[in-house]
Amino acid sequence: MSTISFPSEDGSTDASMHNGDPFYSAFDGSSSFQMNPLSSHPPRTPRTSMTTASTSQVYGASIYETKEKVQEPPVEEEEELEEGTERLKQAELRVRKEEVWRELILTSNGRDKAFKIIQYSLKVYLLFHLSVSTSRLLRRPTRPSWEQELVRRLTSTVDGFSFTRKCLLLFNWLSPLTAIMAQQSVPFSSAQTRRTSKQTAKPFLHTVLHAPPTVLLELVNAAADDVYTFSRLGLLGKRTGDRAGRVADWCWLLATLAGLVENGVERQMIGNLQSEVESRLYAESMTAATAKSKSASSKLEEKELARLQKQDYWLQVTRAKLAMDFIFVSYSVFNFQRAREPIRAFTGLAAALLSAAKLYDRHKTILLKAASLSL
């Protein structure tokens, strides 16, 4: 036989097309029959490759390996995530602490926290100074004149910082008032409903009474604080200022209790989400998934778990700050006298440090995002 006729170039090699043909049935798949190089399909029966006869690789395995190499989106996602992490590290190198403090001080809330730290740090120092001076009075009947002048100046500085903070927080009632007014402009689903709502608009008092309790407490607290500040400025009488300060303290106490309850609910939700993510990570670690798919899904779950842990951390910081505020304001509301000054000084300083840490992290996150986008 001088020549062998092969099928046409359409690549059709299905066995159903050649049933009963003695020409095709005469060749066995394990013989030295070679596939037409112009055919677009691999042979149906695996056999030992002539180019890699020394190995156990079958013909056509390289084709499937090529498909696996082409379909690699999880690896690309991991590289993108790593690039994002690298950009974040570079942004952290570009953002300095001084820049964060500069952005923090530009806001009235940031200046309030900075002044509060200085105010209560001086109060704590005065407590230690007075305790040391009291022990010295047992040995010396009189204090030096420079020490008396120092205590007088520091006490005046503490009072000045307290009054300055009151002025910085003037008109803070605009924020809850804006939130209440926004309830009147809630978008509706249809034009007919929108026209009906315009015709039957509810009065402002109705909107205020149906606002969330925490927002109402914040509104009344800020308004009472302003009345107390105006009394300190001399615009209102002292009796009016004292009553307004009493109302502000009660609102602060109730708002702190509401914040503690809300914080507990949020922490419980975050804890449930953490348990779900950890259970999924454990299930993925026990399954027989491939290495690539397992690493991609595990990395996403680990990123979500880290985000939830960070949220839980700041919720714990918020809970500690609220606890310090509750102890501080309880002495004002219930007029406790035992260890009044030391406890108010330490709880005020702790609350100032915790709230400043939260505000610092918020401004740092904003600067890091801006720096990462500019890279």
Side-chain angles (χ1 to χ4, degrees):
M1 183 183 295
S2 59
T3 59
I4 297 177
S5 300
F6 288 94
S8 60
E9 295 181 2
D10 58 355
S12 179
T13 57
D14 289 337
S16 59
M17 298 176 60
H18 312 294
N19 288 337
D21 194 336
F23 177 80
Y24 290 98
S25 61
F27 294 93
D28 184 44
S30 61
S31 64
S32 60
F33 176 78
Q34 296 185 11
M35 185 63 184
N36 182 12
L38 298 178
S39 177
S40 60
H41 296 281
R44 299 296 179 179
T45 306
R47 65 178 180 86
T48 305
S49 175
M50 297 180 65
T51 58
T52 56
S54 60
T55 62
S56 60
Q57 183 180 3
V58 295
Y59 188 87
S62 61
I63 297 177
Y64 300 115
E65 288 177 358
T66 305
K67 291 182 179 179
E68 290 180 359
K69 290 180 181 179
V70 171
Q71 299 175 358
E72 292 181 348
V75 178
E76 294 179 359
E77 291 180 0
E78 289 179 2
E79 292 176 357
E80 290 179 0
L81 291 175
E82 290 177 359
E83 290 177 0
T85 305
E86 191 66 26
R87 285 198 301 267
L88 184 60
K89 292 180 180 179
Q90 294 178 3
E92 288 178 350
L93 295 176
R94 295 180 60 181
V95 176
R96 297 191 298 268
K97 296 180 180 179
E98 295 80 5
E99 296 178 357
V100 181
W101 280 108
R102 181 196 63 192
E103 296 296 326
L104 190 146
I105 296 297
L106 286 178
T107 62
S108 60
N109 195 16
R111 287 193 295 271
D112 172 64
K113 303 308 177 188
F115 291 163
K116 188 175 181 181
I117 292 175
I118 300 173
Q119 174 189 351
Y120 284 97
S121 297
L122 292 177
K123 293 190 74 171
V124 171
Y125 170 76
L126 286 174
L127 286 174
F128 282 106
H129 181 78
L130 291 176
S131 63
V132 173
S133 299
T134 303
S135 62
R136 289 178 179 176
L137 285 176
L138 299 177
R139 293 174 293 179
R140 290 185 302 177
T142 59
R143 295 179 180 177
S145 58
W146 66 267
E147 185 176 350
Q148 297 179 4
E149 182 67 15
L150 177 64
V151 172
R152 186 185 66 80
R153 287 180 178 275
L154 291 181
T155 304
S156 176
T157 303
V158 169
D159 295 337
F161 273 117
S162 177
F163 182 70
T164 303
R165 290 180 53 234
K166 289 291 184 183
C167 293
L168 283 175
L169 298 179
L170 281 173
F171 307 107
N172 256 10
W173 46 268
L174 288 174
S175 178
L177 180 63
T178 304
I180 293 174
M181 295 294 294
Q183 296 180 358
Q184 292 182 339
S185 59
V186 177
F188 294 91
S189 58
S190 62
Q192 182 64 29
T193 309
R194 195 180 299 112
R195 287 193 297 269
T196 306
S197 64
K198 290 181 179 179
Q199 295 175 359
T200 60
K202 296 179 180 179
F204 173 74
L205 181 60
H206 183 275
T207 306
V208 170
L209 294 178
H210 286 77
T214 54
V215 179
L216 288 178
L217 286 173
E218 185 180 359
L219 177 64
V220 177
N221 187 11
D225 273 335
D226 282 6
V227 173
Y228 177 75
T229 304
F230 290 146
S231 175
R232 292 279 301 271
L233 289 171
L235 297 177
L236 299 175
K238 186 176 182 301
R239 181 177 298 180
T240 303
D242 292 339
R243 290 177 179 176
R246 187 78 174 174
V247 172
D249 290 338
W250 272 105
C251 291
W252 188 11
L253 178 68
L254 296 177
T256 304
L257 289 174
L260 287 171
V261 173
E262 184 179 359
N263 182 270
V265 174
E266 290 180 358
R267 286 204 63 207
Q268 185 177 3
M269 294 174 60
I270 295 295
N272 294 335
L273 292 175
Q274 284 185 3
S275 300
E276 293 178 2
V277 174
E278 290 174 353
S279 63
R280 287 197 299 268
L281 282 173
Y282 178 76
E284 289 176 2
S285 65
M286 299 300 292
T287 55
T290 61
K292 292 182 179 179
S293 62
K294 182 179 179 180
S295 61
S297 58
S298 298
K299 191 168 184 179
L300 292 176
E301 294 294 346
E302 289 174 358
K303 183 179 179 181
E304 179 67 15
L305 182 61
R307 186 183 66 83
L308 292 174
Q309 289 176 349
K310 185 177 180 180
Q311 288 184 0
D312 185 68
Y313 170 77
W314 287 113
L315 284 175
Q316 292 181 22
V317 172
T318 303
R319 182 184 62 178
K321 191 263 180 185
L322 290 173
M324 296 298 103
D325 286 341
F326 179 76
I327 296 173
F328 184 92
V329 74
S330 296
Y331 273 83
S332 299
V333 171
F334 302 108
N335 200 19
F336 296 142
Q337 296 299 327
R338 184 168 183 173
R340 180 185 180 90
E341 292 303 322
I343 291 180
R344 284 170 61 90
F346 282 106
T347 55
L349 180 60
L353 292 174
L354 292 172
S355 58
K358 287 180 57 181
L359 198 61
Y360 180 89
D361 181 76
R362 188 181 308 168
H363 284 277
K364 183 179 179 181
T365 303
I366 295 174
L367 290 177
L368 286 176
K369 289 181 179 179
S372 63
L373 292 175
S374 63
L375 291 175

